[in-house]
Amino acid sequence: MKHFCSSSVSEDLGCRRGDFSRKHYGSVELLISSDADGAIQRAGRFRVENGSSDENATALPGTWRRTDVHLENPEYHTRWYFKYFLGQVHQNYIGNDAEKSPFFLSVTLSDQNNQRVPQYRAILWRKTGTQKICLPYSPTKTLSVKSILSAMNLEKFEKGPREIFHPEIQKDLLVLEEQEGSVNFKFGVLFAKDGQLTDDEMFSNEIGSDAFQKFLNLLGDTITLKGWTGYRGGLDTKNDTTGIHSVYTVYQGHEIMFHVSTMLPYSKENKQQVERKRHIGNDIVTIVFQEGEESSPAFKPSMIRSHFTHIFALVRYDQQNDNYRLKIFSEESVPLFGPSLPSPPVFTDHQEFRDFLLVKLINGEKATLETPTFAQKRRRTLDMLIRSLYQDLMPDLHKNMLNRRSFSDVLPESPKSARKKEEARQAEFVRIGQALKLKSIVRGDAPSSLAASGICKKEPWEPQCFCSNFPHEAVCADPWGQALLVSTDAGVLLVDDDLPSVPVFDRTLPVKQMHVLETLDLLVLRADKGKDARLFVFRLSALQKGLEGKQAGKGRSDCRENKLEKTKGCHLYAINTHHNRELRVVVAIRNKLLLITRKHNKPSGGTSISLLSPVSESPVEEFQYIREICLSDSPAVMTLVDGPTEESDNLICVAYRHQFDMVNESTGEAFRLHHVEANRVNFVAAIDVYEDGEAGLLLCYNYSCIYKKICPFNGGSFLVQPSASDFQFCWNQAPCAIVCAFPYLLAFTTDSMEIRLVVNGNLVHTAVVPQLQLVASRVKFSPKICTRFHLEISSAEASSDP
């Protein structure tokens, strides 16, 4: 028995799949500040997020969804070594790559949150960064170190990696993981009076206002620094040299210390207030609380002399309406980060404003660490630590602390021979790891879980049971109204909640692909039966009439009039995702592509189309064969990309061998889009994403996902060129299917779901769902992600775990 679950991922998508705009995240502007005499002080380029083009727009509450507020790359999902390795039996290896650069590999066998899904987790530390992947576990097939490194695209190395037996290696690897960034944060808070235009004026405010104090109370608790034992954020907790009090809070497992300008030491003699600037000027993120009316001169980042602060959050409080307005300034090199501001950026619920602000600031600091300046420093530090650790281990290369084990298989558990020496070594290894973990927790440097803090909220991907008693194996499906049209081993069935399934086609029509196009009154499907595979088209209204008449499910012999000619032997097809004037279908028959179109004109003047001409039951005659295109190989993935105008050339993205190519529909000319550097390639998807009306593609294969923007030029052609908006990332597990539903990317494996943001690829959530299969997705209007899994695993048991 199976469950069908639906998950509404977004409520207000555009009419095209994957439509989004980076304008939600602000635009880069040159900001210039001047003194009271009008002389220019400083200038800088910042991305300004205002949620609205008109800052003085009526301060009504902004339109936004609380469910869109997520910590990006949360530590409880990303700090794998601390969570899954430290204090557990695992293996660590050392080796040199082909360039003679040292690397470390850690491997463990774990159960995904006690969901009976054993899997290998592997972490590869190299000078270029850290890579983490999950690999499936098979009790009958051992996993070699070589195969793990191959999955991480490390195919060649100088010598075979050796296993490190020394238990102290855990401490060194924990230090390597901590280079990803701190789990705790320090943010500056600067009080600015109305009309203040320079940092000297702002830092010289000895005390704040009642509204400022109210804001501080919202941020956190006022604590006494002397004797403070929690995270101190660089403040003195012994001698009161950095003030007597400060503001502190914990948010979703993160300790946060605020460097409040009015609480730091004030000096009447020092007009520059060096002691205050020493702390706030060295914070990556600073909140500026500005008093005064909206019409008053606004704060600009160029007013602050700091080469370190990359993000400013400008907060204004409207006492009359009791709401907060937010504006974000990010130095232009900072990658995009969420959540995007509502429009207008006004918050009437103070607690929701606090949640939004803290998440925005935490995500902003993490994003800043990816800027070239910080990333280069982190890579240098990581390279130095790896080389130093390698040199320390060199003397042990011929001792027992490092062992070749014949390029060993990864051992899932203690050897069955139960040698006392090995058992004693593993016991000592685990004991030292658990002591290190406890020490990190006591010190406050451990990534905590969501259960520790944070308010409960319903996430947009929470599943809902659609059908709890489905007895068949699903092949593919597509929503039809409120029901689901499902192809199974017993035929094609119409499933509606827990009502009895209605047969539409019998098992003589084995459907492998289908699209329900309700606005066109069409069903397009591919029935695959060896060499006799065909594409069929049906009118939904005719099928609906047959269902209402209680007719038996159609067999293959009943569908002869619905076959599209020339499609015999097809193994794949694709349709365009928006079809205002014309439906385009591209059919793949081995290495041959057939372009077929179906034009449809909406009747005008209220005249029914049936009065103009009789409509046949089969729509086959409405489809027109256009041309044939020959490829160099048979495509495994195919996606249609719409041209920038209705008259321009459209493109077909195809994936075969080790590459993604773009094919011009009009000329058949192909050009290389992306070459895959890997021995083995598993193509997953090429997803069309439209950014501000311009086409882009998410290319997904193996563990990788790459975004490529495709720019129109010369009145209708396309150009693929490097863009500032391009990015790439790696999934934690190799996906079987991917769905884009802005602002999310959802990847599905056979036992998990991984959710990231379209705009930057950052991770926001993972869930373990044993026996998972994506069978249908619809991202138009109210998208539904439909999955199936065994009855004994209820939707409530899906756990938050990477």
Side-chain angles (χ1 to χ4, degrees), residues 22-35:
R22 290 174 189 265
K23 293 177 182 177
H24 293 302
Y25 297 86
S27 58
V28 176
E29 301 176 16
L30 176 64
L31 301 178
I32 301 172
S33 64
S34 56
D35 58 21

Side-chain angles (χ1 to χ4, degrees), residues 150-163:
S150 177
M152 293 173 150
N153 291 329
L154 184 56
E155 307 280 357
K156 299 178 182 179
F157 15 80
E158 187 183 34
K159 293 180 180 178
R162 297 186 177 187
E163 185 176 356

